């Protein structure tokens, strides 16, 4: 008797950016030319995935104001709460799933040995966070709003302010890495990486919304970013 | 009227998935802290999937990621998902266990732009059709310039019989393409090591899966 696993809603590859998107120049030599091979019948290898509930996450792992210096000094920048809910395509919350994020500092500089942008490092800011969603699928980080930064694509390309967000979901089939942009940023429509998406509605799924109700007076603003991962289809019928 | 994000139905019942974006050149800051040159936290998800006391044949896997120009990709990040020696996926990730089915690695410029994993040879896992799939490791590849991660499978060249019978591998019609999924065993320093180079584009392009 084989264990039964739920299938997932087919990933719409016209909704996601294509591998080859010449406006984003690095994709040109890094995009497969052959068609993807369809796994006609997904197996346990695709339908299962890691459960990180037992990963020992530190008390400041989701608090980027504190986690680099353990509170010895606060970073520069606009203090924000980044929060949201991870749900699947049927709206079902995804509890206890790992959400990870990384970002530049308020000046647009990353704490990475390869980043040499003019903006200085912030001695009080690392730029990494992680947490597990709660029983209802909610996650929460405290951080600063990252700055935009220039990058070598077109002669004068700038990334809109963004936070890189990674989520596992119920299986490796739902694995997703995206970037959250900030509502109203005029750099969003100019960005070659954003433009890898064909559908403006798909871009909307990556925009975090200012949420005044969840902001803290005299402390920090809040941005809400809900994440939708692939839906698990219930198995109604078996071949037999 | 402002649109609510992530609530656009594709049918009356369904939401659209949040769109993917490249993990970028600085993915290490978030997911591979040491590779960014940054301090690690108490527990990190990394490349030692099997500790010395894990059951099974201990192996090391090394490889590169090569772009369409034939150049080594120096900023790739990979995730592995595999069964244990008995052919079971151990979903519960816990660093106190001798073996975890999940691991992460990255191509490190200082190490010849190679990635590596310390693990055990996975057991065979059943296909829904009842046949056994040959031992394999699922790999996901993320990098700057990769807009949505690529998914492949690593098989082993010393599993000739099992590979021939594998219901997934045997679906690949082209023998040349099938070879792109097969890691080559090399004996070195008393360690069983397999090499698996991933070609993103062009001659010898690795097979990538949609599932
Ligand atoms: Fe970035």
């Amino acid at each position: 008797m084989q264990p039964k696993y739920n299938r997932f809603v087919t990933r719409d590859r016209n909704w996601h950016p294509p591998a080859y998107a010449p406006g984003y120049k690095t994709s040109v030599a890094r995009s497969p030319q052959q068609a993807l091979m369809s796994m006609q019948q997904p197996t346990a290898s695709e339908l299962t995935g890691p459960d990180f509930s037992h990963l020992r996450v530190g008390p400041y792992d989701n608090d980027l104001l504190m986690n680099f210096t353990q509170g010895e000094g606060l970073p520069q920048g606009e203090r924000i709460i980044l929060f949201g809910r991870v749900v699947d395509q049927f709206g079902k919350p995804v509890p206890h799933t790992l959400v990870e994020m990384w970002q530049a500092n308020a000046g647009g500089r990353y704490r990475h040995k390869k980043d040499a942008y003019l903006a200085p490092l912030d001695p009080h800011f690392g730029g990494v966070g992680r947490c597990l969603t709660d029983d209802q699928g909610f996650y929460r980080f405290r951080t600063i709003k990252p700055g935009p930064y220039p990058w070598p694509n077109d002669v004068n390309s700038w990334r809109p302010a963004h936070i890189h967000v990674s989520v596992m979901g119920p299986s490796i089939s739902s694995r997703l890495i995206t970037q959250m942009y900030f509502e109203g940023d005029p750099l969003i429509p100019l960005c070659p990486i954003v433009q890898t998406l064909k559908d403006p509605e798909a871009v909307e799924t990556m925009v975090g919304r200012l949420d005044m109700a969840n902001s803290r007076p005299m402390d920090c603003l809040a941005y809400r970013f809900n994440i939708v991962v692939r839906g698990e289809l219930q198995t109604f019928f078996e071949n037999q | 009227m402002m649109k609510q994000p992530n609530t656009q139905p594709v049918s009356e019942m369904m939401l659209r998935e949040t769109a993917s974006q490249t993990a970028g050149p600085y993915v290490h800051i978030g997911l591979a802290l040491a590779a960014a040159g940054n301090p690690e936290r108490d527990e990190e998800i990394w490349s030692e999937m099997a500790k010395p006391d894990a059951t099974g044949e201990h192996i090391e896997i090394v490889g590169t990621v090569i772009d369409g120009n034939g150049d080594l990709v120096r900023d790739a990040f990979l995730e592995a998902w595999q069964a244990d020696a008995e052919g079971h996926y151990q979903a519960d990730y816990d660093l106190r266990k001798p073996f975890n089915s999940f691991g992460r690695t990255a191509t490190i410029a200082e190490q010849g732009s190679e990635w590596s994993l310390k693990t055990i040879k996975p057991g065979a896992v059943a296909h829904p059709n009842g046949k056994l799939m040959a031992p394999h490791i699922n790999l996901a590849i993320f990098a700057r310039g990769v807009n949505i991660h690529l998914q492949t499978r690593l098989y082993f060249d010393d599993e000739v019989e099992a590979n021939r019978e594998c219901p997934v591998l045997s679906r690949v019609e082209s023998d040349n393409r099938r070879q792109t999924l097969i890691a080559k065993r090399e004996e070195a320093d008393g360690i069983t090591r397999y090499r698996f180079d991933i070609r993103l584009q062009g001659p010898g392009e690795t097979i990538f899966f949609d599932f």
Side-chain angles (χ1 to χ4, degrees), chain A residues 138-165:
Chain A
F138 283 101
Y139 72 90
R140 169 185 289 264
F141 294 99
R142 192 165 72 145
T143 185
I144 50 95
K145 187 175 174 185
Y149 58 84
W151 59 297
N153 189 69
D154 301 319
V155 170
N156 190 18
S157 295
W158 289 76
R159 296 303 327 279
H162 63 277
I163 295 179
H164 295 265
V165 180

PDB file of all heavy atoms in Angstrom, chain A residues 138-165:
ATOM      1  N   PHE A 138       0.128  33.198   9.884  1.00  0.00           N
ATOM      2  CA  PHE A 138       0.686  34.548   9.930  1.00  0.00           C
ATOM      3  C   PHE A 138       2.186  34.530  10.232  1.00  0.00           C
ATOM      4  O   PHE A 138       2.655  33.709  11.013  1.00  0.00           O
ATOM      5  CB  PHE A 138      -0.014  35.397  11.004  1.00  0.00           C
ATOM      6  CG  PHE A 138      -1.367  35.887  10.570  1.00  0.00           C
ATOM      7  CD1 PHE A 138      -2.526  35.256  11.017  1.00  0.00           C
ATOM      8  CD2 PHE A 138      -1.484  36.986   9.717  1.00  0.00           C
ATOM      9  CE1 PHE A 138      -3.776  35.707  10.612  1.00  0.00           C
ATOM     10  CE2 PHE A 138      -2.730  37.443   9.319  1.00  0.00           C
ATOM     11  CZ  PHE A 138      -3.885  36.796   9.761  1.00  0.00           C
ATOM     12  N   TYR A 139       2.907  35.453   9.614  1.00  0.00           N
ATOM     13  CA  TYR A 139       4.321  35.669   9.930  1.00  0.00           C
ATOM     14  C   TYR A 139       4.505  37.146  10.220  1.00  0.00           C
ATOM     15  O   TYR A 139       3.659  37.983   9.870  1.00  0.00           O
ATOM     16  CB  TYR A 139       5.213  35.227   8.751  1.00  0.00           C
ATOM     17  CG  TYR A 139       5.135  36.158   7.574  1.00  0.00           C
ATOM     18  CD1 TYR A 139       6.006  37.250   7.453  1.00  0.00           C
ATOM     19  CD2 TYR A 139       4.168  35.992   6.595  1.00  0.00           C
ATOM     20  CE1 TYR A 139       5.917  38.118   6.387  1.00  0.00           C
ATOM     21  CE2 TYR A 139       4.069  36.865   5.521  1.00  0.00           C
ATOM     22  CZ  TYR A 139       4.952  37.939   5.426  1.00  0.00           C
ATOM     23  OH  TYR A 139       4.853  38.814   4.384  1.00  0.00           O
ATOM     24  N   ARG A 140       5.627  37.496  10.837  1.00  0.00           N
ATOM     25  CA  ARG A 140       5.871  38.887  11.202  1.00  0.00           C
ATOM     26  C   ARG A 140       7.370  39.144  11.360  1.00  0.00           C
ATOM     27  O   ARG A 140       8.087  38.331  11.938  1.00  0.00           O
ATOM     28  CB  ARG A 140       5.156  39.168  12.526  1.00  0.00           C
ATOM     29  CG  ARG A 140       5.493  40.475  13.218  1.00  0.00           C
ATOM     30  CD  ARG A 140       4.794  40.526  14.560  1.00  0.00           C
ATOM     31  NE  ARG A 140       3.354  40.690  14.381  1.00  0.00           N
ATOM     32  CZ  ARG A 140       2.739  41.869  14.419  1.00  0.00           C
ATOM     33  NH1 ARG A 140       3.417  42.966  14.649  1.00  0.00           N
ATOM     34  NH2 ARG A 140       1.440  41.942  14.245  1.00  0.00           N
ATOM     35  N   PHE A 141       7.821  40.258  10.776  1.00  0.00           N
ATOM     36  CA  PHE A 141       9.204  40.703  10.978  1.00  0.00           C
ATOM     37  C   PHE A 141       9.185  42.159  11.419  1.00  0.00           C
ATOM     38  O   PHE A 141       8.261  42.894  11.083  1.00  0.00           O
ATOM     39  CB  PHE A 141      10.003  40.621   9.665  1.00  0.00           C
ATOM     40  CG  PHE A 141      10.201  39.223   9.158  1.00  0.00           C
ATOM     41  CD1 PHE A 141       9.380  38.703   8.149  1.00  0.00           C
ATOM     42  CD2 PHE A 141      11.202  38.422   9.678  1.00  0.00           C
ATOM     43  CE1 PHE A 141       9.557  37.413   7.683  1.00  0.00           C
ATOM     44  CE2 PHE A 141      11.387  37.128   9.210  1.00  0.00           C
ATOM     45  CZ  PHE A 141      10.564  36.622   8.211  1.00  0.00           C
ATOM     46  N   ARG A 142      10.226  42.557  12.138  1.00  0.00           N
ATOM     47  CA  ARG A 142      10.426  43.974  12.407  1.00  0.00           C
ATOM     48  C   ARG A 142      11.748  44.352  11.765  1.00  0.00           C
ATOM     49  O   ARG A 142      12.759  43.658  11.950  1.00  0.00           O
ATOM     50  CB  ARG A 142      10.448  44.233  13.910  1.00  0.00           C
ATOM     51  CG  ARG A 142      10.368  45.705  14.262  1.00  0.00           C
ATOM     52  CD  ARG A 142      10.036  45.885  15.724  1.00  0.00           C
ATOM     53  NE  ARG A 142      11.171  45.530  16.558  1.00  0.00           N
ATOM     54  CZ  ARG A 142      11.477  46.151  17.699  1.00  0.00           C
ATOM     55  NH1 ARG A 142      10.714  47.136  18.133  1.00  0.00           N
ATOM     56  NH2 ARG A 142      12.525  45.765  18.403  1.00  0.00           N
ATOM     57  N   THR A 143      11.739  45.415  10.979  1.00  0.00           N
ATOM     58  CA  THR A 143      12.951  45.759  10.235  1.00  0.00           C
ATOM     59  C   THR A 143      12.957  47.247   9.895  1.00  0.00           C
ATOM     60  O   THR A 143      12.177  48.023  10.479  1.00  0.00           O
ATOM     61  CB  THR A 143      13.062  44.868   8.970  1.00  0.00           C
ATOM     62  OG1 THR A 143      14.300  45.116   8.316  1.00  0.00           O
ATOM     63  CG2 THR A 143      11.922  45.098   7.995  1.00  0.00           C
ATOM     64  N   ILE A 144      13.820  47.631   8.974  1.00  0.00           N
ATOM     65  CA  ILE A 144      13.770  48.994   8.431  1.00  0.00           C
ATOM     66  C   ILE A 144      13.459  48.880   6.948  1.00  0.00           C
ATOM     67  O   ILE A 144      13.668  47.827   6.330  1.00  0.00           O
ATOM     68  CB  ILE A 144      15.088  49.770   8.649  1.00  0.00           C
ATOM     69  CG1 ILE A 144      16.292  48.957   8.188  1.00  0.00           C
ATOM     70  CG2 ILE A 144      15.278  50.152  10.108  1.00  0.00           C
ATOM     71  CD1 ILE A 144      16.754  49.221   6.815  1.00  0.00           C
ATOM     72  N   LYS A 145      12.927  49.950   6.387  1.00  0.00           N
ATOM     73  CA  LYS A 145      12.639  49.938   4.958  1.00  0.00           C
ATOM     74  C   LYS A 145      13.959  50.036   4.196  1.00  0.00           C
ATOM     75  O   LYS A 145      14.745  50.947   4.451  1.00  0.00           O
ATOM     76  CB  LYS A 145      11.727  51.114   4.607  1.00  0.00           C
ATOM     77  CG  LYS A 145      11.251  51.078   3.183  1.00  0.00           C
ATOM     78  CD  LYS A 145      10.264  52.188   2.891  1.00  0.00           C
ATOM     79  CE  LYS A 145       9.926  52.199   1.411  1.00  0.00           C
ATOM     80  NZ  LYS A 145       9.065  53.348   1.059  1.00  0.00           N
ATOM     81  N   PRO A 146      14.215  49.076   3.295  1.00  0.00           N
ATOM     82  CA  PRO A 146      15.480  49.130   2.549  1.00  0.00           C
ATOM     83  C   PRO A 146      15.473  50.262   1.527  1.00  0.00           C
ATOM     84  O   PRO A 146      14.407  50.686   1.066  1.00  0.00           O
ATOM     85  CB  PRO A 146      15.526  47.766   1.851  1.00  0.00           C
ATOM     86  CG  PRO A 146      14.100  47.345   1.738  1.00  0.00           C
ATOM     87  CD  PRO A 146      13.364  47.952   2.906  1.00  0.00           C
ATOM     88  N   GLY A 147      16.648  50.734   1.166  1.00  0.00           N
ATOM     89  CA  GLY A 147      16.759  51.754   0.129  1.00  0.00           C
ATOM     90  C   GLY A 147      16.836  51.123  -1.247  1.00  0.00           C
ATOM     91  O   GLY A 147      17.212  49.963  -1.383  1.00  0.00           O
ATOM     92  N   PRO A 148      16.479  51.897  -2.285  1.00  0.00           N
ATOM     93  CA  PRO A 148      16.727  51.423  -3.654  1.00  0.00           C
ATOM     94  C   PRO A 148      18.232  51.433  -3.929  1.00  0.00           C
ATOM     95  O   PRO A 148      18.980  52.081  -3.199  1.00  0.00           O
ATOM     96  CB  PRO A 148      16.020  52.461  -4.537  1.00  0.00           C
ATOM     97  CG  PRO A 148      15.740  53.643  -3.669  1.00  0.00           C
ATOM     98  CD  PRO A 148      15.928  53.254  -2.233  1.00  0.00           C
ATOM     99  N   TYR A 149      18.644  50.672  -4.931  1.00  0.00           N
ATOM    100  CA  TYR A 149      20.075  50.685  -5.271  1.00  0.00           C
ATOM    101  C   TYR A 149      20.265  50.516  -6.764  1.00  0.00           C
ATOM    102  O   TYR A 149      19.427  49.925  -7.442  1.00  0.00           O
ATOM    103  CB  TYR A 149      20.835  49.616  -4.481  1.00  0.00           C
ATOM    104  CG  TYR A 149      20.351  48.185  -4.664  1.00  0.00           C
ATOM    105  CD1 TYR A 149      20.778  47.393  -5.732  1.00  0.00           C
ATOM    106  CD2 TYR A 149      19.476  47.610  -3.744  1.00  0.00           C
ATOM    107  CE1 TYR A 149      20.348  46.090  -5.880  1.00  0.00           C
ATOM    108  CE2 TYR A 149      19.028  46.304  -3.888  1.00  0.00           C
ATOM    109  CZ  TYR A 149      19.476  45.547  -4.960  1.00  0.00           C
ATOM    110  OH  TYR A 149      19.037  44.261  -5.104  1.00  0.00           O
ATOM    111  N   PRO A 150      21.378  51.063  -7.283  1.00  0.00           N
ATOM    112  CA  PRO A 150      21.666  50.922  -8.717  1.00  0.00           C
ATOM    113  C   PRO A 150      22.322  49.580  -8.989  1.00  0.00           C
ATOM    114  O   PRO A 150      22.955  49.000  -8.113  1.00  0.00           O
ATOM    115  CB  PRO A 150      22.663  52.054  -8.966  1.00  0.00           C
ATOM    116  CG  PRO A 150      23.403  52.185  -7.667  1.00  0.00           C
ATOM    117  CD  PRO A 150      22.414  51.840  -6.577  1.00  0.00           C
ATOM    118  N   TRP A 151      22.157  49.098 -10.221  1.00  0.00           N
ATOM    119  CA  TRP A 151      22.814  47.830 -10.576  1.00  0.00           C
ATOM    120  C   TRP A 151      23.128  47.846 -12.059  1.00  0.00           C
ATOM    121  O   TRP A 151      22.477  48.560 -12.848  1.00  0.00           O
ATOM    122  CB  TRP A 151      21.936  46.634 -10.184  1.00  0.00           C
ATOM    123  CG  TRP A 151      20.569  46.587 -10.826  1.00  0.00           C
ATOM    124  CD1 TRP A 151      19.562  47.493 -10.665  1.00  0.00           C
ATOM    125  CD2 TRP A 151      20.071  45.597 -11.728  1.00  0.00           C
ATOM    126  NE1 TRP A 151      18.461  47.123 -11.400  1.00  0.00           N
ATOM    127  CE2 TRP A 151      18.745  45.957 -12.056  1.00  0.00           C
ATOM    128  CE3 TRP A 151      20.611  44.435 -12.275  1.00  0.00           C
ATOM    129  CZ2 TRP A 151      17.953  45.205 -12.928  1.00  0.00           C
ATOM    130  CZ3 TRP A 151      19.819  43.680 -13.134  1.00  0.00           C
ATOM    131  CH2 TRP A 151      18.506  44.062 -13.447  1.00  0.00           C
ATOM    132  N   PRO A 152      24.142  47.095 -12.461  1.00  0.00           N
ATOM    133  CA  PRO A 152      24.588  47.153 -13.848  1.00  0.00           C
ATOM    134  C   PRO A 152      23.742  46.285 -14.777  1.00  0.00           C
ATOM    135  O   PRO A 152      24.019  45.110 -14.947  1.00  0.00           O
ATOM    136  CB  PRO A 152      26.026  46.627 -13.774  1.00  0.00           C
ATOM    137  CG  PRO A 152      26.034  45.735 -12.581  1.00  0.00           C
ATOM    138  CD  PRO A 152      25.002  46.247 -11.631  1.00  0.00           C
ATOM    139  N   ASN A 153      22.690  46.859 -15.342  1.00  0.00           N
ATOM    140  CA  ASN A 153      21.891  46.145 -16.344  1.00  0.00           C
ATOM    141  C   ASN A 153      21.806  47.065 -17.540  1.00  0.00           C
ATOM    142  O   ASN A 153      22.601  46.972 -18.476  1.00  0.00           O
ATOM    143  CB  ASN A 153      20.522  45.792 -15.775  1.00  0.00           C
ATOM    144  CG  ASN A 153      19.733  44.856 -16.685  1.00  0.00           C
ATOM    145  OD1 ASN A 153      20.087  43.699 -16.852  1.00  0.00           O
ATOM    146  ND2 ASN A 153      18.682  45.370 -17.304  1.00  0.00           N
ATOM    147  N   ASP A 154      20.884  48.024 -17.526  1.00  0.00           N
ATOM    148  CA  ASP A 154      20.949  49.120 -18.482  1.00  0.00           C
ATOM    149  C   ASP A 154      21.941  50.130 -17.899  1.00  0.00           C
ATOM    150  O   ASP A 154      22.444  49.950 -16.796  1.00  0.00           O
ATOM    151  CB  ASP A 154      19.558  49.737 -18.657  1.00  0.00           C
ATOM    152  CG  ASP A 154      18.575  48.689 -19.157  1.00  0.00           C
ATOM    153  OD1 ASP A 154      18.957  47.888 -20.030  1.00  0.00           O
ATOM    154  OD2 ASP A 154      17.434  48.648 -18.650  1.00  0.00           O
ATOM    155  N   VAL A 155      22.184  51.211 -18.654  1.00  0.00           N
ATOM    156  CA  VAL A 155      23.174  52.186 -18.198  1.00  0.00           C
ATOM    157  C   VAL A 155      22.790  52.751 -16.832  1.00  0.00           C
ATOM    158  O   VAL A 155      23.637  52.994 -15.981  1.00  0.00           O
ATOM    159  CB  VAL A 155      23.326  53.313 -19.244  1.00  0.00           C
ATOM    160  CG1 VAL A 155      24.167  54.460 -18.685  1.00  0.00           C
ATOM    161  CG2 VAL A 155      23.974  52.769 -20.520  1.00  0.00           C
ATOM    162  N   ASN A 156      21.495  52.913 -16.604  1.00  0.00           N
ATOM    163  CA  ASN A 156      21.052  53.536 -15.356  1.00  0.00           C
ATOM    164  C   ASN A 156      19.856  52.774 -14.792  1.00  0.00           C
ATOM    165  O   ASN A 156      18.735  53.273 -14.797  1.00  0.00           O
ATOM    166  CB  ASN A 156      20.709  55.007 -15.632  1.00  0.00           C
ATOM    167  CG  ASN A 156      20.463  55.802 -14.373  1.00  0.00           C
ATOM    168  OD1 ASN A 156      20.855  55.397 -13.272  1.00  0.00           O
ATOM    169  ND2 ASN A 156      19.811  56.941 -14.530  1.00  0.00           N
ATOM    170  N   SER A 157      20.091  51.552 -14.346  1.00  0.00           N
ATOM    171  CA  SER A 157      19.018  50.732 -13.767  1.00  0.00           C
ATOM    172  C   SER A 157      19.058  50.815 -12.245  1.00  0.00           C
ATOM    173  O   SER A 157      20.137  50.742 -11.644  1.00  0.00           O
ATOM    174  CB  SER A 157      19.169  49.259 -14.180  1.00  0.00           C
ATOM    175  OG  SER A 157      19.003  49.102 -15.566  1.00  0.00           O
ATOM    176  N   TRP A 158      17.900  50.931 -11.656  1.00  0.00           N
ATOM    177  CA  TRP A 158      17.763  50.975 -10.196  1.00  0.00           C
ATOM    178  C   TRP A 158      16.745  49.951  -9.758  1.00  0.00           C
ATOM    179  O   TRP A 158      15.685  49.812 -10.376  1.00  0.00           O
ATOM    180  CB  TRP A 158      17.304  52.369  -9.733  1.00  0.00           C
ATOM    181  CG  TRP A 158      18.369  53.395  -9.888  1.00  0.00           C
ATOM    182  CD1 TRP A 158      18.770  53.992 -11.056  1.00  0.00           C
ATOM    183  CD2 TRP A 158      19.189  53.939  -8.853  1.00  0.00           C
ATOM    184  NE1 TRP A 158      19.805  54.872 -10.809  1.00  0.00           N
ATOM    185  CE2 TRP A 158      20.072  54.860  -9.465  1.00  0.00           C
ATOM    186  CE3 TRP A 158      19.274  53.732  -7.475  1.00  0.00           C
ATOM    187  CZ2 TRP A 158      21.027  55.581  -8.734  1.00  0.00           C
ATOM    188  CZ3 TRP A 158      20.213  54.463  -6.749  1.00  0.00           C
ATOM    189  CH2 TRP A 158      21.086  55.370  -7.384  1.00  0.00           C
ATOM    190  N   ARG A 159      17.069  49.227  -8.697  1.00  0.00           N
ATOM    191  CA  ARG A 159      16.075  48.345  -8.096  1.00  0.00           C
ATOM    192  C   ARG A 159      15.164  49.177  -7.211  1.00  0.00           C
ATOM    193  O   ARG A 159      15.649  49.972  -6.407  1.00  0.00           O
ATOM    194  CB  ARG A 159      16.738  47.268  -7.206  1.00  0.00           C
ATOM    195  CG  ARG A 159      17.646  46.252  -7.875  1.00  0.00           C
ATOM    196  CD  ARG A 159      17.042  45.439  -9.000  1.00  0.00           C
ATOM    197  NE  ARG A 159      15.627  45.095  -8.909  1.00  0.00           N
ATOM    198  CZ  ARG A 159      15.107  44.094  -8.197  1.00  0.00           C
ATOM    199  NH1 ARG A 159      15.872  43.327  -7.467  1.00  0.00           N
ATOM    200  NH2 ARG A 159      13.805  43.844  -8.217  1.00  0.00           N
ATOM    201  N   PRO A 160      13.847  48.978  -7.345  1.00  0.00           N
ATOM    202  CA  PRO A 160      12.955  49.586  -6.355  1.00  0.00           C
ATOM    203  C   PRO A 160      13.293  49.014  -4.969  1.00  0.00           C
ATOM    204  O   PRO A 160      13.901  47.946  -4.882  1.00  0.00           O
ATOM    205  CB  PRO A 160      11.558  49.130  -6.796  1.00  0.00           C
ATOM    206  CG  PRO A 160      11.739  48.139  -7.883  1.00  0.00           C
ATOM    207  CD  PRO A 160      13.182  48.097  -8.286  1.00  0.00           C
ATOM    208  N   ALA A 161      12.930  49.730  -3.927  1.00  0.00           N
ATOM    209  CA  ALA A 161      13.105  49.168  -2.581  1.00  0.00           C
ATOM    210  C   ALA A 161      12.408  47.813  -2.549  1.00  0.00           C
ATOM    211  O   ALA A 161      11.275  47.679  -3.029  1.00  0.00           O
ATOM    212  CB  ALA A 161      12.484  50.105  -1.548  1.00  0.00           C
ATOM    213  N   HIS A 162      13.072  46.800  -2.023  1.00  0.00           N
ATOM    214  CA  HIS A 162      12.458  45.473  -1.999  1.00  0.00           C
ATOM    215  C   HIS A 162      13.051  44.631  -0.897  1.00  0.00           C
ATOM    216  O   HIS A 162      14.190  44.851  -0.464  1.00  0.00           O
ATOM    217  CB  HIS A 162      12.636  44.751  -3.346  1.00  0.00           C
ATOM    218  CG  HIS A 162      14.067  44.497  -3.688  1.00  0.00           C
ATOM    219  ND1 HIS A 162      14.860  45.448  -4.275  1.00  0.00           N
ATOM    220  CD2 HIS A 162      14.872  43.417  -3.490  1.00  0.00           C
ATOM    221  CE1 HIS A 162      16.078  44.960  -4.442  1.00  0.00           C
ATOM    222  NE2 HIS A 162      16.118  43.728  -3.963  1.00  0.00           N
ATOM    223  N   ILE A 163      12.279  43.666  -0.479  1.00  0.00           N
ATOM    224  CA  ILE A 163      12.735  42.669   0.484  1.00  0.00           C
ATOM    225  C   ILE A 163      12.595  41.313  -0.193  1.00  0.00           C
ATOM    226  O   ILE A 163      11.527  40.986  -0.731  1.00  0.00           O
ATOM    227  CB  ILE A 163      11.896  42.743   1.783  1.00  0.00           C
ATOM    228  CG1 ILE A 163      12.151  44.100   2.477  1.00  0.00           C
ATOM    229  CG2 ILE A 163      12.235  41.573   2.712  1.00  0.00           C
ATOM    230  CD1 ILE A 163      11.367  44.334   3.750  1.00  0.00           C
ATOM    231  N   HIS A 164      13.679  40.540  -0.211  1.00  0.00           N
ATOM    232  CA  HIS A 164      13.628  39.192  -0.779  1.00  0.00           C
ATOM    233  C   HIS A 164      12.922  38.279   0.221  1.00  0.00           C
ATOM    234  O   HIS A 164      13.256  38.290   1.405  1.00  0.00           O
ATOM    235  CB  HIS A 164      15.047  38.664  -1.028  1.00  0.00           C
ATOM    236  CG  HIS A 164      15.794  39.458  -2.070  1.00  0.00           C
ATOM    237  ND1 HIS A 164      15.830  39.082  -3.392  1.00  0.00           N
ATOM    238  CD2 HIS A 164      16.511  40.598  -1.978  1.00  0.00           C
ATOM    239  CE1 HIS A 164      16.562  39.963  -4.073  1.00  0.00           C
ATOM    240  NE2 HIS A 164      16.983  40.892  -3.240  1.00  0.00           N
ATOM    241  N   VAL A 165      11.954  37.515  -0.254  1.00  0.00           N
ATOM    242  CA  VAL A 165      11.164  36.657   0.637  1.00  0.00           C
ATOM    243  C   VAL A 165      11.161  35.232   0.087  1.00  0.00           C
ATOM    244  O   VAL A 165      10.942  35.015  -1.114  1.00  0.00           O
ATOM    245  CB  VAL A 165       9.709  37.171   0.764  1.00  0.00           C
ATOM    246  CG1 VAL A 165       8.910  36.271   1.697  1.00  0.00           C
ATOM    247  CG2 VAL A 165       9.669  38.610   1.265  1.00  0.00           C
TER     248      VAL A 165
END
